[in-house]
Amino acid sequence: MRLRKSSTKQYQLKLSISMSHSNLQPRLDGNSSALLLLLALLLLLQVPDAGAGLTAASTPVPSSSASTTITEALQGQREAQITATRAASFAACLRSIKGFPEVRLPGTPNYRDYANGLRIIRWHLPAAVVYPKSVPQVQAAVLCAVKFKVQPIPRGGANSFESLSSGDGALVVDLSEMGAVMVDVKAMTATVQFGARMGNVYSAIYKAGVSAGKNLTCLGGVWPQVGIGGLTAAGGYGSLSRKYGVLADHILSARVVDAKARVLLTNEQSNPDLFFAIRGGGGGTYGIVVEATVKLVEVPVVTVAHIGYRGLDHAVDLMERFQRWAPSSPSELTFTYNLVRAGSDIKLYYLGREAELRQLIHQRSGLLAYPGAVFRAVECDVLGSRGWLAGSGWAPLSCKSDNVEVPQRVKPGGLLMKDREASKYRSAIFTKPVPREGLQEIVALLRSPEKIWKLFQWKAYGGAFDSIPASFNAFPHRKGVIMHSEFGTSFGYQRSAAELAASRARVVWDYFARAAAVMDKYATDARYNGYVCLCDDVAQYFGANYARLKAAKKKFDPGNVFRNALSVPPTGGDTSLE
Ligand SMILES: Cc1cc2nc3c(=O)[nH]c(=O)nc-3n(C[C@H](O)[C@H](O)[C@H](O)COP(=O)(O)OP(=O)(O)OC[C@H]3O[C@@H](n4cnc5c(N)ncnc54)[C@H](O)[C@@H]3O)c2cc1C
């Protein structure tokens, strides 16, 4: 696949954008003074058109100068009053929602922590954050946003790598109070409110299954903190994917609050275009998915296993072997191959007995043919296997599942805050193995002297990806894809614009640009929407499904009320794939 209209963007440009947003922080962080509240209220007035959010960095706060005439000053004062009145009315609109959901406003204590999620490459200053507890409250919040021309942004698990689930001048509709999971063991389905984090979904399904004597789970990802909202919108690659596909393939129906604040039922019969789009077509684009019914799978036994290789001396040979064998291996087997400076390791997830896996790895994989390879395996029940996946592969093998359930809310001082990080990741999709010289370049990147976090992670395709058609839903990466990679680096916990501008941060950006350039030599132009990067073009996420997504967007949200920097637009953006 080649992009006809190339739109590769400059990574350095992204640095300046990030910094300009972050520049707000030193002035606003943690201060609840009336002046700051007034500034935030004034910013809200600047919203230019229907559904538009506020770009704080590019919108100056009105100020009077020495040459201002009395008439102009009075006019300015009057406008400020109107602005304050309008912002107060917006807040009142949210506060009057029936049942009184929690509302957080600029200038109130810890607002920055409520306003921003777990991936903080960019800090935002939204006009408000609301935590609805029911679908009518979501509808009412959308109505307030539309009435006051404020952009509504849904937030699920708050893990967007580009901080897309918050926005300057926007209304963040945080669904984390809506995390109920209702399991119907007989029907083999779970109806899940879309603020749920995946760990809590797995746990609820598991408990319901155990009480009926079954080992049940659903498709998903690896990290328990990830929200079902963003994961479904991206597709959702996880430990069962080579056998059953992605999470989006297992959604049977969903309810969506659209830009007119209606609740739309979507499934194969009802609003099928919207149903197509919300499964892998990108987050925050077509409305707010408030609930979905998910198909369950029974997993009688799982073997989790780990192969560790210290150092990078054999990494090129090993990676050559991995990319040739893993995509054609039995679909019961799913892999995560990690390549870091200290060495590489493979986490294996096998739907079957330990003895079978041992035989497969010893006799057919060729993955143990490298000096120092250490292979360990253990059988778990399905929740224990989730617990193991969420930890480091190098840790002692165990089936402990006490890390699977996670707090729903990101709260100041809360447990999830320890995961807050400014990391920079991107995806790459491969239809051919990376040649030896490419693998050597990757190892050279890992060995290059800058002392920063560097990860190349690889997930094998094949199996179910070869049999589910690319048009089944919006997730397009199917037959012919052999693996995807997530690669990136981290700034650590970014506190201020000064830190992001520091020379160490420049080293991080520079490394990321070099890593991307190497990957782009060997990867296709396609990208996976789970690892969004402002350096991507939105068409790259959806391949041949892009035109259908634009049509759905035009039909259900022609005014582009729900949008972000990487959402499918209703018109324009006509980059197409050959
Ligand atoms: C540590 C880590 C591990 C990961 N592991 C995996 C993995 O194993 N497999 C995989 O496929 N991906 C993985 N990802 C990527 C993950 O799928 C994306 O980051 C995903 O977008 C996160 O969803 P969220 O709900 O947590 O984030 P959010 O930031 O809340 O949402 C992401 C996007 O979806 C939108 N959105 C959220 N909820 C809704 C909703 N209800 N309706 C409409 N739009 C909504 C948001 O507006 C935003 O645009 C991982 C990410 C991290 C940080």
Side-chain angles (χ1 to χ4, degrees):
M1 270 187 305
R2 309 292 310 168
L3 271 178
R4 198 181 298 145
K5 196 169 82 185
S6 168
S7 57
T8 308
K9 298 172 190 171
Q10 295 300 314
Y11 299 106
Q12 295 307 327
L13 175 67
K14 300 308 160 201
L15 170 60
S16 64
I17 290 170
S18 303
M19 286 170 60
S20 67
H21 283 277
S22 306
N23 281 341
L24 286 170
Q25 287 312 315
R27 286 186 289 130
L28 297 171
D29 183 22
N31 193 327
S32 60
S33 73
L35 176 63
L36 290 182
L37 178 57
L38 181 62
L39 280 175
L41 295 174
L42 286 170
L43 285 167
L44 186 57
L45 180 69
Q46 303 298 316
V47 176
D49 49 29
L54 169 73
T55 309
S58 61
T59 311
V61 177
S63 64
S64 56
S65 72
S67 60
T68 306
T69 65
I70 292 173
T71 320
E72 281 168 346
L74 285 173
Q75 174 72 15
Q77 218 178 16
R78 169 98 189 104
E79 280 174 8
Q81 273 169 5
I82 295 168
T83 312
T85 310
R86 190 167 157 270
S89 305
F90 176 58
C93 183
L94 294 172
R95 285 190 165 133
S96 67
I97 291 174
K98 203 169 166 201
F100 308 113
E102 184 179 330
V103 177
R104 299 275 163 182
L105 295 168
T108 55
N110 297 316
Y111 185 64
R112 189 176 81 155
D113 286 338
Y114 291 103
N116 293 281
L118 295 175
R119 310 287 134 209
I120 42 160
I121 191 78
R122 198 161 292 99
W123 293 100
H124 289 293
L125 180 64
V129 183
V130 63
Y131 295 87
K133 289 191 163 77
S134 65
V135 176
Q137 289 187 351
V138 174
Q139 292 174 273
V142 170
L143 279 178
C144 288
V146 171
K147 180 173 172 193
F148 287 89
K149 298 181 169 43
V150 173
Q151 178 192 358
I153 300 183
R155 185 161 74 191
N159 281 293
S160 164
F161 279 101
E162 288 288 6
S163 316
L164 296 180
S165 49
S166 185
D168 297 322
L171 170 65
V172 174
V173 183
D174 185 302
L175 298 179
S176 53
E177 294 288 343
M178 296 174 63
V181 182
M182 285 145 292
V183 183
D184 184 338
V185 174
K186 207 163 156 219
M188 287 290 280
T189 60
T191 299
V192 183
Q193 285 189 312
F194 253 42
R197 291 182 192 276
M198 288 311 299
N200 302 335
V201 177
Y202 303 140
S203 179
I205 293 171
Y206 173 80
K207 284 176 186 164
V210 165
S211 58
K214 290 182 169 178
N215 236 329
L216 299 182
T217 193
C218 67
L219 272 284
V222 166
W223 199 243
Q225 280 88 333
V226 167
I228 192 167
L231 193 66
T232 305
Y237 184 106
S239 51
L240 303 166
S241 286
R242 293 192 66 249
K243 179 73 178 169
Y244 297 110
V246 292
L247 169 62
D249 301 337
H250 290 245
I251 303 288
L252 298 172
S253 69
R255 293 203 299 153
V256 182
V257 172
D258 75 352
K260 292 182 183 156
R262 299 172 299 183
V263 184
L264 302 180
L265 173 69
T266 73
N267 54 36
E268 292 294 355
Q269 290 77 39
S270 170
N271 298 306
D273 312 347
L274 187 57
F275 186 53
F276 174 85
I278 55 136
R279 294 173 299 148
T285 308
Y286 313 96
I288 303 181
V289 182
V290 285
E291 176 187 292
T293 298
V294 184
K295 213 168 20 173
L296 304 185
V297 291
E298 189 169 2
V299 178
V301 66
V302 176
T303 302
V304 295
H306 183 252
I307 313 177
Y309 313 83
R310 300 274 174 201
L312 293 173
D313 289 351
H314 303 285
V316 169
D317 297 334
L318 174 64
M319 185 61 200
E320 268 204 316
R321 177 66 196 157
F322 173 80
Q323 58 185 347
R324 288 182 199 282
W325 184 70
S328 59
S329 66
S331 61
E332 286 73 24
L333 194 50
T334 300
F335 311 78
T336 303
Y337 180 110
N338 297 303
L339 202 50
V340 297
R341 185 199 299 272
S344 55
D345 72 302
I346 305 176
K347 284 179 110 173
L348 299 141
Y349 194 93
Y350 181 64
L351 298 171
R353 292 279 167 203
E354 181 183 333
E356 292 162 16
L357 178 67
R358 285 190 178 278
Q359 198 178 24
L360 196 60
I361 296 302
H362 280 286
Q363 293 177 7
R364 286 171 52 195
S365 77
L367 295 171
L368 302 181
Y370 305 94
V374 178
F375 174 47
R376 299 168 297 150
V378 66
E379 278 181 20
C380 293
D381 73 3
V382 70
L383 199 68
S385 69
R386 296 275 185 202
W388 179 76
L389 278 176
S392 161
W394 293 95
L397 273 194
S398 90
C399 303
K400 267 169 54 182
S401 56
D402 53 0
N403 56 347
V404 177
E405 275 184 35
V406 288
Q408 275 288 121
R409 283 279 298 266
V410 179
K411 280 189 181 154
L415 258 184
L416 290 177
M417 293 299 267
K418 70 176 171 29
D419 291 325
R420 187 173 256 189
E421 189 191 11
S423 40
K424 185 72 201 155
Y425 275 81
R426 217 205 76 186
S427 65
I429 306 246
F430 296 84
T431 49
K432 289 187 195 136
V434 180
R436 211 171 160 79
E437 67 267 25
L439 299 173
Q440 283 161 345
E441 287 177 83
I442 291 168
V443 170
L445 278 165
L446 289 168
R447 284 187 164 141
S448 64
E450 56 284 272
K451 296 268 178 291
I452 58 173
W453 170 247
K454 301 171 184 177
L455 170 69
F456 290 86
Q457 190 169 82
W458 309 81
K459 310 256 171 83
Y461 277 54
F465 290 95
D466 286 349
S467 55
I468 300 173
S471 58
F472 182 67
N473 52 36
F475 178 87
H477 314 297
R478 309 284 186 172
K479 194 170 176 59
V481 173
I482 59 165
M483 56 190 182
H484 88 226
S485 172
E486 299 123 32
F487 63 96
T489 174
S490 174
F491 296 93
Y493 188 104
Q494 172 217 328
R495 286 168 201 279
S496 66
E499 276 191 18
L500 195 58
S503 58
R504 185 174 165 279
R506 288 187 190 284
V507 169
V508 178
W509 282 106
D510 177 59
Y511 163 76
F512 181 72
R514 284 188 288 128
V518 168
M519 295 298 259
D520 286 343
K521 279 201 246 174
Y522 307 105
T524 64
D525 282 326
R527 304 276 165 86
Y528 173 41
N529 187 259
Y531 293 80
V532 283
C533 176
L534 290 189
C535 56
D536 299 334
D537 183 305
V538 59
Q540 291 178 279
Y541 297 128
F542 307 116
N545 291 332
Y546 185 54
R548 196 166 161 194
L549 287 173
K550 270 178 54 180
K553 173 73 177 171
K554 197 169 178 179
K555 183 167 171 189
F556 290 96
D557 183 16
N560 210 11
V561 169
F562 291 100
R563 66 179 184 283
N564 58 53
L566 291 167
S567 58
V568 172
T571 53
D574 56 353
T575 309
S576 57
L577 295 170
E578 285 172 347

